[in-house]
Amino acid sequence: MPQRWPNVQFEFVSLAGDAETNSGAVLVRDGEMVLEVECPGDRPYVIVGKTVDGFYRGIHQGQPDDAPVTAQWIRMDDIYIGTWREAGTEYLFRFRLPEEGETP
């Protein structure tokens, strides 16, 4: 059964050291994890991650004029950590799911 976690905080750090936190949601269903990351003043990023070699990997499922985004992430203890590449810039990102999700 799918589970959804609203109000997830995604923390991003670029290799240049710039840090940013964005809100969003996570949906887990049938072997995939969907990240919905809010972007102030713009449409959210929607990354549909499929499991590949122990990682989730996916691309932004957006409009043709959106910046291209690819991401991969893995669970380490109680957090998820990974890399996010957006328009040629690479970021490290992490998020933690609250203990209780909801059924959509």
Side-chain angles (χ1 to χ4, degrees), residues 2-46:
Q3 287 277 137
R4 186 172 192 279
W5 287 266
N7 303 315
V8 173
Q9 297 300 304
F10 295 90
E11 299 174 52
F12 295 88
V13 177
S14 74
L15 297 178
D18 299 328
E20 183 178 323
T21 300
N22 295 78
S23 297
V26 174
L27 174 69
V28 176
R29 62 181 181 217
D30 299 326
E32 63 185 21
M33 181 180 284
V34 180
L35 309 181
E36 301 171 3
V37 181
E38 298 294 328
C39 298
D42 204 354
R43 296 180 298 264
Y45 287 103
V46 178

Side-chain angles (χ1 to χ4, degrees), residues 14-103:
S14 74
L15 297 178
D18 299 328
E20 183 178 323
T21 300
N22 295 78
S23 297
V26 174
L27 174 69
V28 176
R29 62 181 181 217
D30 299 326
E32 63 185 21
M33 181 180 284
V34 180
L35 309 181
E36 301 171 3
V37 181
E38 298 294 328
C39 298
D42 204 354
R43 296 180 298 264
Y45 287 103
V46 178
I47 308 283
V48 178
K50 306 251 187 222
T51 55
V52 178
D53 298 329
F55 285 84
Y56 286 97
R57 291 190 175 136
I59 61 171
H60 173 48
Q61 306 288 318
Q63 303 296 317
D65 62 333
D66 287 352
V69 175
T70 60
Q72 68 176 8
W73 62 98
I74 191 168
R75 183 176 182 173
M76 298 186 72
D77 197 22
D78 68 336
I79 66 167
Y80 290 86
I81 188 165
T83 57
W84 177 287
R85 182 177 294 266
E86 179 178 341
T89 302
E90 192 160 329
Y91 300 86
L92 297 175
F93 78 105
R94 71 178 184 166
F95 62 95
R96 178 177 282 126
L97 298 180
E99 288 187 29
E100 301 269 336
E102 57 188 40
T103 303

